[in-house]
Amino acid sequence: PALRVGIAASLVGAMVAARTGARRVAVVVPTLGLLTQTLAAWLPWTSRDTAVVLVCATPELAAAARGTHVKGVLVTTDPGRIAHVLEHNEDVLLLSTYSSVSRTAAGTRDAGVHLDLAVFDEAHRLSEAGTRFRSALKASAFPVRSRLFMTATPVVPADDWTLGFGDGHDVPGRISMAD
């Protein structure tokens, strides 16, 4: 059977995290509606020891996880509180909107840890020129061991391109587009 629109990326991200043994994970989405949907998709893939942080300013979203098996749900945009959760828990799921990703990154830096995985849903938003979200790509700004970018929106760069992280680790390449 076909999956609901938007749910496939969430499930793929959760499966990648499970298969790779990622324990500290961030998932970044564009809207609060998608954040709630992503939480519902990820909950079956989390352990009862997982601390969930919704990085947004909408406390009523925590209701989506009430009565589930997770250790607890915190709704905050405070990097200090995010850092506290990361410092005191081995299994953490950070769900953030793109608008709050700088706070997610700051909390991660403040905790002095690296996340195992960051999943960027609707990742084409990172390709927009001048976007303030691109700092999430820099290892120095957002310490993450692996990043997974997902989108169904085509992004067509020039034939020759450079994936620039701004920290001396730019990656040149070529893209071949096939029908």
Side-chain angles (χ1 to χ4, degrees):
L3 294 173
R4 282 190 344 257
V5 173
I7 196 80
S10 296
L11 290 175
V12 168
M15 288 179 204
V16 167
R19 293 289 299 262
T20 61
R23 297 183 71 184
R24 289 187 172 129
V25 178
V27 182
V28 185
V29 299
T31 66
L32 291 173
L34 194 51
L35 187 127
T36 303
Q37 179 179 317
T38 301
L39 174 61
W42 276 72
L43 282 176
W45 295 88
T46 60
S47 76
R48 63 187 167 116
D49 295 325
T50 302
V52 176
V53 180
L54 305 179
V55 186
C56 65
T58 312
E60 53 273 12
L61 291 183
R66 281 200 190 106
T68 64
H69 64 279
V70 295
K71 187 175 190 175
V73 178
L74 171 66
V75 180
T76 187
T77 57
D78 178 359
R81 294 183 76 195
I82 296 165
H84 181 81
V85 170
L86 287 167
E87 291 166 349
H88 293 91
N89 295 278
E90 291 292 323
D91 297 313
V92 179
L93 175 60
L94 303 170
L95 295 172
S96 176
T97 61
Y98 277 99
S99 295
S100 297
V101 72
S102 63
R103 294 173 176 276
T104 306
T108 305
R109 283 192 317 271
D110 292 352
V113 300
H114 280 76
L115 300 181
D116 298 313
L117 176 67
V119 178
F120 295 88
D121 198 358
E122 300 291 329
H124 59 276
R125 292 169 184 267
L126 295 166
S127 69
E128 298 166 4
T131 182
R132 67 183 193 270
F133 310 135
R134 289 184 78 147
S135 65
L137 300 174
K138 295 181 181 178
S140 59
F142 194 13
V144 178
R145 289 188 177 88
S146 298
R147 288 170 171 80
L148 175 62
F149 303 94
M150 296 190 289
T151 187
T153 302
V155 177
V156 183
D159 284 343
D160 291 311
W161 58 275
T162 299
L163 179 59
F165 291 98
D167 59 2
H169 294 95
D170 295 349
V171 180
R174 290 189 59 75
I175 291 182
S176 173
M177 304 293 280
D179 290 48

